[in-house]
Each structure stands twice: as structure tokens, then as C-alpha cells.
Amino acid sequence: MNHTFSAMERKDRLVQMEKGEYDILIIGGGITGAGIALDAQTRGLRTALIEMQDFASGTSSRSTKLVHGGLRYLKQFQVKMVADVGKERAVVYENGPHVTTPEWMLLPFYKGGTFGALSTSFGLRLYDYLAGVKRNERRKMLDVNSTSAKEPLLKTNGLLGGGTYVEYRTDDARLTMEVLKKAVDAGAAAVNYTKADRLLYDNGKLVGVIAKDMTTSKEYRVHARQVVNATGPWVDQLRAKDHSKRGKTLRLTKGVHLVFDGGRFPLRQAVYFDTDDKRMVFAIPREGKTYVGTTDTDYTGDTQHPRMTEEDRSYLLAACNDMFPGIKLTEQDVESSWAGLRPLIYEEGKSPSEVSRRDEIFTSPSGMITIAGGKLTGYRKMAEQVIDLIVKRIPAGTGRSWKACVTRTLPMSGGDVGGSAAFPTFVERMTAEGQRLGLTQTEARMLSERYGSNVSSVFAHLQDGKSGLIHGMPASVHAMLAYSMEEEMTVKPVDFFIRRTGALFFDIRWVHEHKAKVIDYMAAHLNYSEEQKMAYAAELEKELRAAVTPEDREEAYDAGTSDHLAGGPAHERSGEAANPTL
């Protein structure tokens, strides 16, 4: 079993990084940094990556969770961007069918709305063409009755029809983890909770960083021939440290999503709709829940902890109740939420929704390369562009040569299932194997779908087919936790409950049910001090509170939301969770 990405060996890896000689050091462990690490290492560059928080803890775990091509950007005539990222959807799907799922999207159009029958038909047809969509996933136009039949909750007043097209739903944090794990499997060194505290120079050239372990405050010197700034919302802060923050800068915008129980908001069909102020909102069913987003507002607050506000929540509730008038959602129906930041390139005079999502590469006088902007879907192409630039800057050296980019057809970790067409058969086979080991069919299927070809390593943590509790946890929970600590560098409880499982967003009751035993297990196996254990438990409670309480109504939490700490809203606590994580 491969333990090179183990939380138990994390400090040893930092010691090794200080002793190592690297061609490239990537600062930032989101999807952009992970993609760059994979491309670099598979081309033959000795690669290191550090992340000051957990991997994917910023934008890469707080998106709309779609690998999509940006249909709305056609309105802004960003044709090349739509074409580039649209084609990448199929690449991501083939390389990681366990973290990417085709999702038919319904785009209804109404009298007086942003879209009409002609513009919808033309836009979707152009989208299919630009994205190279395969024939069985191309757009279909629907009349009024067919549109209502697709999603009965839609308002009928003014409805003129609709169009359907395919997007790809993903777990953004797990996508990031699987790409990064593949880079580590190829030989890259990656460590979380490690901050680029100070930059190291030699005659004005950036040659590395003094990296600070955020769990111990110990410092390490990490040297590299090339340093890449892939820190997302923090790129300008790192550029300022490098004294190269000039010219184009970032504009941060915030997106918020709300999660509802599927019994309260029984959406059958993913819907993409426009609001009265001409913004676009997704409503997507997922694993017994329905989530809705996103807002798009300028942001100047805490970059590390963006939060839902009461205004954000009210806006999305109003948008839902307008488009789905029969459901009459209230703030008490919100089970969870998340807020994320989009690091966009500043453009004078543009509203948040109008700013381009394109990526750009900046090279500073010190040689630091910064990649800014971009979309989740385009991570692989962004990485390819960065490494294409770097291999021109770094001579191969005696006896070394750089390979061509191979990531277009390289399965990510967990993706060795024979391609998307073979994935359902793989899931059936591994579900049967999980049942043989003592799991229920639901548990075995969930693990097989989530972990793909890595599920055998997860199953290895089951105890010889014995059912019942392991360390006070159901066998399936223990297997996921142990695997994530040994092979996904899970350091804190929040890593497990947010980035490794997504449970805090999509099954908050499950978090409450298992948090105490998870914390105890992690404390014992990762040798937390009592102070660390208390701090990490408090951090999880803060995230649970943030998921249900607007930032500007924090004081109402203690007085009025004890339901959530007891295991969710009253309508959910009356019975079993609609679709538990496992």
C-alpha cells in the first residue's frame, strides 16, 4: 500500500522537502496547483507543492460543483473560452468517471426573460458545437408541456418552453484530491498546512521559500529552480511579497450555495434559470438533497473564511420561490450552505457577473510565474500552458529531457476503471465485493462510486467481513477515515467532513452523528496534544455553525439553532436521514 501521502508521515515529508532539489515548487493546493503538479511530474520535472490550509480548502471545494463550459459566457462573446473549457469536460469525465457524472440541465425560458426560443436554440446549438458534444448529449428543445413535465415544480406563468443540454456534475474537492494523488503517485512531494512564509532570493532571482508548518510553527527551507504562484484568491498577496504586484490584479467575487433536504425541495431535474436581475442560478438534485446557487457579488472580507450573509440567503430563497412557487421555502429549510471566492482578473467597468473567467499567466522580474483566473473545468489546459512555459525556461540538463504533456489521456487517481463506459460495470463488481466483506449494498455502492479504482484500498480497512462498530464507528465510516488519513493526508476533522466526504455540505446530520468518534480516532492516530484536539473540535463546530447561520446573524445561533446541533432541522430529526452519506 502506498503511504507517501499519509498524514502520519507528513512531518517526515517536510524534512525530505528541505533536503530535496526541485525543478518546480508550486504554492497552492487547489485544483490549479494540483493540475500543475501532475503535468510537471509526469513530464519529468522534480516537483514539490505546499498548501497553507488543507488541499482544496479554498475555491476548489466551494464551487457550484459542475465541470461545465460556461454557457452564459456566450452572451459576452467569450467564444474561445467556451470552446476550450467545453472540450475539457469530456476529458475530465474520461479520466475520472468516479468524480464526474453527466447531468442533463433544463433551461426554461419565459416571456420577458433573458432567453427566448430562438436565442436558447441557437445558444445551445453553438455551445454543443464549440464544446464538441457527442451526438447523444446534444441539446433538445421542448415545448411548454414537455418542459413542465420535465420539472413539475417550475412556475407555469409566462413559460414558453425550454431546452435541455448536458453538463457534468462533480465533487470539486475530491476531483482535486484525485489529481493531486496521481501527481504524488508519480513522485511529486505535496504537503498541506504549510505556508510560504518568506521568499528566498539569489541575486534577485526567486529560488525557493521558507515554509512554515502551520501545525507546529516549525520552518523549512525549500529550494526550486522555478516557483509557481497558484494560490487562487491569494495570488496578489504572494505577488506583493515578491514586490511584483503591478499591472493586472484580482477582483474577488463571492458565490453562495444553499442546501435543502430533497423531501422539502423535491426537484427531479437540474434547472438553470435566470433571475429578475438577469443573473443565472443553478438548482441541482444530488444524493437526496437539492442545492441552489450561486450569487455573484464583489468581496473584500476574510479571504480564508468567506461566509453566507442574510442578504445572500434571502436572495437565493427569493429566486427559488419565484421559479418554483409551490415549495415556499423559508430560512428554516436551509440545512447547510457554503460560500466560495472566484479569483477573477480585474476589468474596469464590469459587474461581477460580467467579468471574464479566463485565465492569465504573469511572470515577475524575479522569475515567479503566477497563474490567475480560470475555471475548474479548464484546470488541465491551464497546467499544460504553465508547464509549456517552464520547460522553455529550465534547461533539461545533462542526461535529462522533458516529456510531452500526457495528461489528456491519463486517468487520475481512482480513474483506472476502463473509461466512463466501463464505470457502471466496475461499480457493480466492486459493490458485490463490498457486500462480501460485510457492507450493505448501499454502503458498498457509495464507496465504489466515490473512490473508483481506489476502493480496494478503502475495503482493506474493513475487518475481514465483520459487521458492527470499529473504534466506535460503523465499519464503512472507519474505512473512509483510515484511508483518508493514510492516503489523502487528512490532518484535521474538518478535512474529513468537508473535503474528503462533502458531508458537512450534503449530510450535516451525519457529521453530528460521527464527529466525536472521528475526533477521538484522529487524535489517537495523529498524536494530537490535548490543546490541538480541543482546537480542532472547536474548528469543526465553527464550520457547522457557519453552514447554517448567516455571518451577520451570528448572535442568533446560540439562541435559535440548537436544532442543527442536535442533528438537523426538526422535520429531519423525526426520522432517518433521507439519504445518509453511508
Side-chain angles (χ1 to χ4, degrees), residues 90 93-94 102 128 131-139 168 420:
Y93 180 39
E94 285 304 315
D128 285 347
V133 174
K134 47 193 173 187
R135 185 175 298 276
N136 65 336
E137 293 185 354
R138 291 177 187 169
R139 72 99 171 94
Y168 290 82
S420 61

Side-chain angles (χ1 to χ4, degrees), residues 524-539:
H525 287 75
L526 294 176
N527 299 314
Y528 292 169
S529 66
E530 192 58 35
E531 182 181 9
Q532 282 179 314
K533 183 177 179 181
M534 291 176 63
Y536 296 162
E539 182 180 24

Side-chain angles (χ1 to χ4, degrees), residues 67 88-97 99-100 175 377 379 412:
V67 175
E88 284 296 301
R89 299 180 311 165
V91 175
V92 178
Y93 180 39
E94 285 304 315
N95 291 340
V99 289
T100 318
L175 171 63
T377 312
Y379 80 87
M412 62 189 69

Side-chain angles (χ1 to χ4, degrees), residues 64-74 82 85-90 93 100-107 123-124 127-128 131 133-134 137-139 163-170 269-272 280 282 284 291 375 377:
T64 306
K65 305 188 186 298
L66 291 173
V67 175
H68 69 113
L71 174 63
R72 68 174 172 147
Y73 306 126
L74 283 180
V82 173
V85 298
K87 290 182 174 68
E88 284 296 301
R89 299 180 311 165
Y93 180 39
T100 318
T101 305
E103 181 85 44
W104 279 96
M105 199 72 60
L106 174 62
L107 178 64
L124 292 179
Y127 187 64
D128 285 347
V133 174
K134 47 193 173 187
E137 293 185 354
R138 291 177 187 169
R139 72 99 171 94
T164 62
Y165 67 104
V166 169
E167 295 284 25
Y168 290 82
R169 179 163 51 84
T170 190
Q269 159 77 54
V271 179
Y272 187 34
M280 298 300 297
F282 288 98
I284 301 172
Y291 71 97
K375 291 169 57 61
T377 312

Side-chain angles (χ1 to χ4, degrees), residues 423 554 571 579:
F423 186 55
E554 190 77 23
H571 72 263
N579 187 9

Side-chain angles (χ1 to χ4, degrees), residues 201 235-250 345-346 360-368 370:
Y201 295 89
V235 298
D236 277 351
Q237 294 180 32
L238 195 57
R239 291 171 75 198
K241 278 189 179 184
D242 184 52
H243 306 292
S244 58
K245 184 185 172 184
R246 58 181 68 96
K248 292 183 178 180
T249 58
L250 285 191
I345 309 298
Y346 180 80
E360 291 198 36
I361 298 172
F362 310 131
T363 302
S364 77
S366 73
M368 183 175 76
T370 295

Side-chain angles (χ1 to χ4, degrees), residues 264-275:
R264 182 65 185 86
F265 189 172
L267 194 70
R268 294 184 190 175
Q269 159 77 54
V271 179
Y272 187 34
F273 61 96
D274 59 340
T275 62

